[in-house]
Amino acid sequence: VVEENNPIDVCNIYVFSGIVAYIYSRYELAAALVQKRHELEKNMSRTQLKCGVTAFYGGLIFLAMAHNSSEFEWASKVSNVLSKVECFEQIGKSNNEHKLLLLEAEIKSRIGEND
């Protein structure tokens, strides 16, 4: 698929491979795959949104990277993703409210807020 250069299929590979990498705590690999997908999407007329799933897992991946690194870049990416998930929540509350709540809870947990 990558050799055929089909951007939609390559994006799908990056999305699902990134999720699997995140599940197995391979955060650096997951972040690299998200960034590769973002680079590829810059040249596409339409991106693979997957009802907010890509934004949600991107947020979890960036949070994991922010936790393991002192770089401000990851915290900034988390903020950008959070706003995307908020937009998805406004569009489709039943499909995205739980993603937003989980992401917000994960952010609060990472900064030490435990309420």
Side-chain angles (χ1 to χ4, degrees):
V1 171
V2 174
E3 293 166 2
E4 293 175 12
N5 211 16
N6 183 336
I8 293 172
D9 291 337
V10 174
C11 271
N12 285 332
I13 289 170
Y14 289 153
V15 167
F16 296 119
S17 297
I19 291 170
V20 170
Y22 172 79
I23 290 169
Y24 286 100
S25 301
R26 301 280 314 275
Y27 303 131
E28 292 84 9
L29 175 59
L33 290 166
V34 170
Q35 290 176 322
K36 282 184 176 186
R37 190 190 85 234
H38 286 172
E39 286 299 314
L40 184 61
E41 286 176 341
K42 287 179 184 177
N43 299 319
M44 295 173 65
S45 60
R46 186 171 177 203
T47 61
Q48 300 287 348
L49 300 175
K50 304 218 182 309
C51 300
V53 171
T54 56
F56 173 69
Y57 276 100
L60 292 176
I61 291 165
F62 295 150
L63 270 170
M65 291 300 293
H67 183 72
N68 294 335
S69 169
S70 61
E71 293 181 36
F72 177 75
E73 168 192 5
W74 300 113
S76 174
K77 289 179 188 263
V78 170
S79 178
N80 291 340
V81 167
L82 185 60
S83 65
K84 286 181 186 177
V85 176
E86 287 171 345
C87 288
F88 280 112
E89 193 264 344
Q90 294 298 315
I91 295 167
K93 190 171 187 124
S94 63
N95 286 333
N96 293 293
E97 182 179 35
H98 66 287
K99 293 176 189 134
L100 178 61
L101 293 172
L102 286 168
L103 200 52
E104 288 174 338
E106 193 67 26
I107 291 168
K108 287 181 179 181
S109 172
R110 299 285 172 151
I111 61 173
E113 276 187 39
N114 296 320
D115 53 320

